[in-house]
């Protein structure tokens, strides 16, 4: 999922690292908070173009979907240049985003929106394992076998140039239908820290500091294509893995709406499971974290969970505790969808953050379960990421409102045009503009929570959540 780079300002990421992806947005958001800055326009839309972005819903829907597709293609690298792509340059870009000062801890691992708020609460950097390399090519979104063969034919130069990464190639003809027509998704996972991360940690982490290994164990059926190269059909969201590989009524109905000539996808047989391409953790990295911790005398903690959304209740309740300690209201929840995260204004408005991975029925179900099993909130508001396609498993705005209605007093959306969702391209700038307008309360930003206190309390409460907190 990505917003068109037609709205982007000058590229800040190195070649082959998209200006917009879950990883790059989460890094920018975490770093902006540590710098004491707001996070407008996903950290990538030039302020001069914000008024333009706020006027795009008047375009016909077909034009808006074209913006997604063309914009995504503009971020892709030529397959002829794959041998020149250097993932180490991506890691250098990450560490360059953060203030170079002393930190009591660093968070390293899975891509996760709740991790942005965990890092903000502790006042520490977040260093992701996963990066997307989008590669330009043309293919029918339902021609999955063709994309498998394309990956086999083109991945080797990239893998040879980057021996310390694995490639989890991903093709989602449902949620990413607009993008996969023009892009192959090479999601790469670092199997070692690399020089940039290791030098950064050595420079900024206190001698008695801690490394938090953030490990999402969510996995997915795979098709092995070669050494360090696997293929994944679909991904976390509106459909189960089995529906991508075996079909279902929901898949058949979706393909009919797309005027596709098929009613299920033709995919090669799977041969096992792998960490999910966007959110899963490659455990090879943990071995390198153990090496660095042992050599430098750092503490090492493992924070693990089965589903990326399972970190959200834990982080939300920690913020509720922090607000209560400072005699601040604890009855306002702000649900933030996919990349629409804004740590600075969330905390400034006294909102408790809850991250929803996407905008699907399963995400709505996760939120509903949380609201039904926690102390009631007076207010619940949500952003919804508009990805430009009525994908199978998408939750309607009515379904989201039904869940938000668990609030005792007030509920609704922030920055969402309910008449245009999921074609609501303007939401990528409105989420930030509307947040302070919707919520007038203002509070000071929290001082960082000490790692020792976080460690001690989390050790006691981890069993209450679907997470594991373990000293390694």
């Amino acid at each position: 999922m990505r917003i068109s780079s037609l709205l982007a300002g000058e590229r800040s990421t190195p070649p082959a690292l998209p200006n917009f992806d879950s990883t790059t947005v989460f890094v920018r958001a975490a770093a902006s908070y540590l710098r004491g800055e707001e996070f407008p326009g996903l950290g990538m839309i030039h302020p001069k173009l914000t008024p333009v972005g706020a006027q795009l819903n008047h375009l016909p829907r077909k034009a808006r979907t074209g913006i997604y597709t063309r914009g995504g293609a503009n971020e892709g690298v030529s397959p002829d240049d794959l041998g020149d792509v250097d993932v180490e340059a991506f890691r250098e870009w990450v560490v360059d985003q953060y203030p170079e000062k002393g930190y009591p801890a660093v968070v390293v691992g899975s891509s996760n929106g709740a991790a942005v708020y965990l890092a903000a609460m502790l006042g520490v950097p977040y260093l992701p394992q996963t990066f997307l390399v989008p590669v330009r090519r043309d293919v029918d979104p339902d021609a999955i076998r063709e994309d498998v063969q394309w990956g086999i034919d083109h991945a080797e130069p990239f893998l040879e140039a980057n021996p310390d990464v694995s490639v989890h190639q991903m093709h989602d003809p449902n949620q990413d239908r607009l993008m996969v027509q023009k892009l192959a998704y090479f999601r790469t996972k670092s199997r070692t820290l690399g020089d940039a991360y290791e030098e950064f940690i050595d420079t900024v982490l206190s001698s008695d500091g801690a490394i938090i290994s953030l490990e999402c164990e969510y996995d997915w059926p795979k098709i092995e294509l070669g050494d360090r190269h696997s293929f994944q059909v679909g991904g976390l969201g509106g459909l189960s893995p089995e529906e991508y590989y075996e079909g279902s009524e929901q898949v058949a109905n979706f393909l009919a709406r797309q005027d596709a000539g098929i009613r299920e996808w033709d995919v090669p047989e799977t041969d096992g499971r792998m960490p999910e391409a966007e959110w899963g953790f490659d455990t090879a990295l943990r071995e390198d974290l153990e090496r660095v911790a042992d050599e430098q005398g750092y503490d090492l903690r493992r924070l693990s969970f089965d589903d990326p959304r399972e970190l959200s209740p834990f982080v939300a309740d920690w913020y509720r505790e922090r607000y209560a300690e400072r005699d601040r209201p604890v009855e306002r929840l702000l649900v933030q969808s996919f990349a629409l995260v804004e740590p600075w204004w969330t905390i400034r408005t006294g909102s408790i953050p809850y991250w929803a991975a996407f905008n699907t029925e399963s995400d709505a179900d996760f939120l509903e379960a949380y609201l039904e099993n926690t102390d009631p909130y007076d207010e619940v508001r949500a952003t919804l990421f508009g990805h430009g396609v009525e994908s199978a498993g998408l939750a309607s705005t009515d379904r989201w409102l039904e869940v938000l209605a668990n609030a005792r007093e007030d509920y609704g959306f922030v920055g969402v045009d309910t008449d245009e969702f999921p074609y609501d391209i303007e939401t990528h700038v409105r989420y930030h503009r509307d947040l302070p307008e919707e919520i007038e309360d203002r509070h000071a930003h929290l001082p960082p929570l000490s790692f020792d206190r976080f460690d001690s309390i989390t050790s006691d409460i981890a069993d209450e959540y679907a997470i594991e907190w373990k000293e390694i």
Side-chain angles (χ1 to χ4, degrees):
M1 294 183 176
R2 66 177 32 107
I3 185 175
S4 168
S5 59
L6 293 176
L7 294 182
E10 183 178 354
R11 170 180 285 278
S12 67
T13 53
L17 181 64
N19 211 28
F20 175 74
D21 180 58
S22 52
T23 291
T24 49
V25 170
F26 294 158
V27 168
R28 285 195 184 104
S32 70
Y33 184 79
L34 293 189
R35 295 194 303 266
E37 298 172 0
E38 301 177 46
F39 190 64
L42 304 169
M44 55 164 279
I45 299 175
H46 195 284
K48 292 182 179 179
L49 293 177
T50 297
V52 177
Q55 298 296 322
L56 289 177
N57 279 2
H58 75 280
L59 295 173
R61 287 184 176 179
K62 186 174 181 179
R64 277 176 269 160
T65 59
I67 287 176
Y68 280 96
T69 303
R70 292 190 300 273
N74 289 340
E75 292 222 86
V77 62
S78 168
D80 295 335
D81 296 333
L82 277 171
D84 298 324
V85 176
D86 182 8
V87 173
E88 181 63 13
F90 301 172
R91 295 188 284 256
E92 291 172 357
W93 174 82
V94 170
V95 299
D96 285 346
Q97 305 308 302
Y98 292 104
E100 191 170 302
K101 62 179 184 179
Y103 297 102
V106 294
V107 179
V108 184
S110 296
S111 186
N112 192 286
V116 173
Y117 286 95
L118 174 63
M121 183 175 69
L122 296 173
V124 304
Y126 159 66
L127 311 178
Q129 177 188 48
T130 302
F131 298 97
L132 172 63
V133 177
V135 192
R136 292 196 299 273
R137 57 101 184 90
D138 290 288
V139 69
D140 185 287
D142 300 316
I144 294 168
R145 288 183 182 271
E146 182 179 335
D147 205 32
V148 169
Q149 186 59 51
W150 191 96
I152 293 172
D153 294 341
H154 291 87
E156 185 175 352
F158 175 80
L159 289 164
E160 288 181 352
N162 297 276
D164 65 339
V165 307
S166 56
V167 172
H168 297 228
Q169 188 178 343
M170 180 179 181
H171 184 112
D172 188 346
N174 179 37
Q175 294 186 131
D176 290 331
R177 192 171 186 84
L178 299 178
M179 300 297 116
V180 296
Q181 301 174 50
K182 297 294 183 181
L183 294 174
Y185 279 27
F186 280 15
R187 290 203 181 273
T188 69
K189 296 187 185 292
S190 300
R191 298 167 62 85
T192 68
L193 276 171
D195 291 342
Y197 278 9
E198 188 165 347
E199 291 172 6
F200 178 75
I201 291 172
D202 183 56
T203 299
V204 304
L205 190 58
S206 60
S207 59
D208 59 349
I211 300 173
I212 300 173
S213 181
L214 189 73
E215 304 183 14
C216 178
E217 298 180 332
Y218 194 70
D219 61 11
W220 201 264
K222 71 175 177 67
I223 303 162
E224 197 71 31
L225 302 187
D227 183 35
R228 295 181 288 119
H229 183 198
S230 299
F231 191 95
Q232 169 182 320
V233 182
L236 175 77
L239 294 173
S240 68
E242 292 73 23
E243 289 178 288
Y244 281 102
Y245 288 94
E246 301 171 11
S248 69
E249 182 179 354
Q250 187 170 214
V251 168
N253 291 339
F254 169 73
L255 290 170
R257 293 196 303 271
Q258 303 303 312
D259 293 325
I262 58 174
R263 292 298 176 264
E264 63 181 34
W265 290 295
D266 177 26
V267 300
E269 185 175 350
T270 61
D271 51 21
R273 299 183 76 91
M274 68 176 183
E276 202 269 351
E278 186 162 13
W279 311 112
F281 180 77
D282 186 334
T283 57
L285 178 59
R286 191 195 312 137
E287 296 178 12
D288 209 37
L289 294 177
E290 292 174 350
R291 174 188 62 81
V292 170
D294 183 62
E295 290 175 357
Q296 302 299 327
Y298 301 133
D299 289 332
L300 181 59
R301 299 290 188 275
R302 178 173 179 256
L303 176 55
S304 60
F305 38 94
D306 291 336
D307 186 291
R309 296 163 291 199
E310 289 175 342
L311 187 61
S312 297
F314 169 74
V315 172
D317 285 355
W318 250 116
Y319 271 85
R320 215 171 192 183
E321 177 68 19
R322 292 282 286 152
Y323 288 2
E325 290 173 348
R326 304 182 73 81
D327 295 323
R328 289 170 49 164
V330 296
E331 291 86 20
R332 177 181 296 124
L333 186 73
L334 179 61
V335 181
Q336 292 160 77
S337 172
F338 187 54
L340 303 182
V341 293
E342 216 314 356
W344 196 92
W345 271 113
T346 297
I347 299 170
R348 187 83 169 89
T349 57
S351 303
I352 290 166
Y354 178 100
W355 177 68
F358 292 128
N359 46 30
T360 68
E361 288 283 356
S362 60
D363 292 288
D365 292 344
F366 264 87
L367 174 61
E368 186 171 52
Y370 171 65
L371 292 174
E372 290 176 350
N373 289 282
T374 193
D375 291 338
Y377 286 93
D378 290 344
E379 303 174 32
V380 183
R381 292 180 173 85
T383 65
L384 286 180
F385 185 82
H387 63 301
V389 61
E390 293 182 51
S391 50
L394 179 73
S396 67
T397 53
D398 286 343
R399 168 61 178 148
W400 280 105
L401 287 173
E402 177 186 329
V403 176
L404 302 181
N406 279 277
R408 287 185 295 199
E409 296 178 6
D410 192 17
Y411 64 93
F413 296 116
V414 174
V416 179
D417 183 340
T418 56
D419 291 333
E420 295 299 331
F421 176 78
Y423 306 96
D424 182 16
I425 198 169
E426 292 177 12
T427 195
H428 304 113
V429 295
R430 274 196 268 100
Y431 79 97
H432 173 267
R433 184 197 68 190
D434 290 3
L435 179 54
E437 295 179 3
E438 288 282 343
I439 304 173
E440 296 181 356
D441 288 357
R442 297 293 181 266
H443 300 270
H445 285 98
L446 300 170
L449 174 66
S450 77
F451 175 77
D452 287 344
R453 184 161 182 264
F454 174 79
D455 182 28
S456 175
I457 294 178
T458 298
S459 297
D460 292 337
I461 67 173
D463 289 345
E464 301 174 18
Y465 298 89
I467 66 165
E468 181 179 17
W469 178 252
K470 182 178 179 181
E471 181 177 1
I472 302 177

